[in-house]
Amino acid sequence: LLSVQKALSKMLTPLSPVGVEIVSLPLAMDRVICEDIISHIDLPLFDNSSMDGFAVRAQDVKGAQSEKPVTLSVVDDIQAGKSATKELKQNQAARIMTGAPMPEGANAVIPIENTDQYDASGQSEPKLPKEVVVYRSIRPGDYIRNKGEDISSGQVVLGVNNRLRPQDIGLLAMLGLPEIKVYRRPKVVILSTGDELLPVEIPLQFGKIHDSNAYALSALISRDGGDAIYLGIVPDREDAVRGILETAVENDADLILSSAGVSVGAFDFVRDVVQRNGELEFWRVNMRPGKPLAFGNFQGIPFVGLPGNPVSAFVGYEVFVRPMIMSLAGIKDHSRLRVRTRIDEKIESDGRESYLRAVIRIREGEWIARLTGHQGSGNLLSLVQANALLIIPSGVKSLPSGSEVEAWLLNTTSG
Ligand code: AMP
Ligand code: MG
């Protein structure tokens, strides 16, 4: 049986980002930048005050303290957004607001709190005083934000292949970039196969189940940077399966994702159809849950046939499809948040690489894991109750309580 690692590398090797497009900044959240962002400006663009106060020459207030204050004459009023009109001469000060440009001649700012202009009630006096009494000394450079101290012109501020986060969007706006070149979101066509499946809108009947995979998979796909297109439920008939795969091609899919119908059942046609009309690379992987997992291409479009059981489909997605979609979406770093955890009970496995649903929490400074409920691959509730997947390596059949294993954290969006 093919190992998880080998299967994954077969799936990722042929993939590359699907294309680029320009998006406006408000729509750029979670998009993947396709080139390094280089600043063409210094930020701040000019030396400015980091406090509301008075711009001064430090030498004029040398030795000033509350018992021995220094009085300066106020010659200018520099609001944020305005420029200074005068160069400071000896024993002169300019009232200055946070973010306003420093006047020529000044080399420091005295915060308003250290002057006689401070009103502890927080009421600021809009009228410009003729003089200001300064109760402290200051070092040259204090309370000045220097030109270029945050970002200097020519600096790479965001690297290619990263997904934009809120703080990144803020930075792009600071640089004055209203539009940004990103990778196109890959189109992932989803289809669910099985005569037992009912759309979520139709009440359950005996012998039937709701198609839950399509919904969980759509949510996973958009989380990971793809656009999910759900083509609906396909009956267990060869012609119907072929027909829907052709529809996927007509929809310009970058990836076709089916669930169920890839096992050894008498009505599992998906694998056959892909084999006959495309190429099937493999249809089983040495893992649990999710051994029946098919990979190939249909008319040149990558195809993954996930198992039908909801937990198997989810785990198969997390292990294989997530990195595939990220590759198509231009995301380089596929690493996930993972921790080493101790298990609080004995765990039996069958030697396949196993992904077990668990709750992990910190106890006395270390992670401790307990499995959630029934681990059957159709039992979605135990996955819902879990906050992690424990990974039991292949070849391991039994782990005593207290052993250490690796766990993937489930409750994070960025993985
Ligand atoms: P199969 O691979 O077709 O043998 O399906 C395995 C199990 O998964 C069966 O119990 C199916 O009823 C179930 N199953 C298949 N497709 C879905 C789906 N879309 N949503 C939920 N369960 C499914
Ligand atoms: Mg079936």
Side-chain angles (χ1 to χ4, degrees), residues 30-297:
D30 272 342
R31 302 301 302 265
V32 184
I33 46 175
C34 61
E35 53 196 12
D36 284 341
I37 305 289
I38 298 167
S39 178
H40 294 294
I41 51 173
D42 285 331
L43 280 179
L45 195 58
F46 46 88
D47 292 353
N48 67 92
S49 176
S50 71
M51 296 292 273
D52 295 324
F54 289 83
V56 299
R57 298 157 17 110
Q59 56 273 37
D60 293 345
V61 295
K62 200 166 169 218
Q65 43 183 279
S66 27
E67 303 80 48
K68 213 175 69 174
V70 169
T71 301
L72 303 174
S73 57
V74 178
V75 297
D76 201 359
D77 194 15
I78 316 166
Q79 254 178 278
K82 301 275 157 51
S83 301
T85 57
K86 296 192 181 73
E87 180 180 345
L88 288 200
K89 304 268 162 37
Q90 195 177 5
N91 294 329
Q92 292 184 339
R95 185 163 74 169
I96 193 164
M97 300 299 133
T98 305
M102 288 296 291
E104 292 291 323
N107 60 9
V109 172
I110 302 279
I112 190 164
E113 291 87 343
N114 303 126
T115 71
D116 67 337
Q117 296 300 304
Y118 180 56
D119 178 347
S121 73
Q123 296 292 317
S124 51
E125 171 59 64
K127 216 173 134 260
L128 189 68
K130 289 214 160 54
E131 288 180 341
V132 60
V133 180
V134 175
Y135 298 121
R136 65 170 280 187
S137 62
I138 196 128
R139 287 169 311 185
D142 279 358
Y143 301 110
I144 297 177
R145 300 192 284 218
N146 292 306
K147 171 175 157 70
E149 74 171 34
D150 190 10
I151 291 167
S152 47
S153 174
Q155 189 179 348
V156 175
V157 290
L158 286 172
V160 62
N161 299 117
N162 278 303
R163 218 170 165 185
L164 292 171
R165 304 163 303 166
Q167 56 270 48
D168 303 329
I169 309 262
L171 183 69
L172 293 169
M174 266 193 165
L175 297 178
L177 299 173
E179 288 180 329
I180 183 101
K181 203 166 166 190
V182 295
Y183 287 114
R184 186 165 69 67
R185 290 168 69 97
K187 269 192 201 175
V188 185
V189 165
I190 300 178
L191 40 114
S192 300
T193 72
D195 286 348
E196 74 279 35
L197 300 180
L198 288 176
V200 70
E201 300 82 10
I202 308 285
L204 271 190
Q205 300 151 25
F206 182 80
K208 306 278 185 178
I209 58 171
H210 284 126
D211 169 14
S212 61
N213 287 344
Y215 291 87
L217 291 171
S218 294
L220 288 163
I221 290 162
S222 42
R223 180 198 69 183
D224 293 332
D227 281 333
I229 304 170
Y230 175 38
L231 293 188
I233 295 166
V234 195
D236 286 319
R237 283 195 337 258
E238 187 170 347
D239 61 324
V241 171
R242 195 182 333 110
I244 201 93
L245 288 172
E246 271 153 13
T247 308
V249 176
E250 286 156 20
N251 273 272
D252 292 323
D254 297 307
L255 173 65
I256 304 172
L257 195 54
S258 75
S259 68
V262 288
S263 196
V264 291
F267 302 94
D268 290 344
F269 289 118
V270 177
R271 179 155 49 91
D272 288 353
V273 171
V274 172
Q275 196 151 29
R276 283 201 207 111
N277 301 274
E279 283 168 286
L280 189 74
E281 288 239 20
F282 58 81
W283 62 280
R284 272 180 305 190
V285 181
N286 189 28
M287 68 186 287
R288 184 177 76 115
K291 181 168 92 172
L293 188 139
F295 171 65
N297 73 74

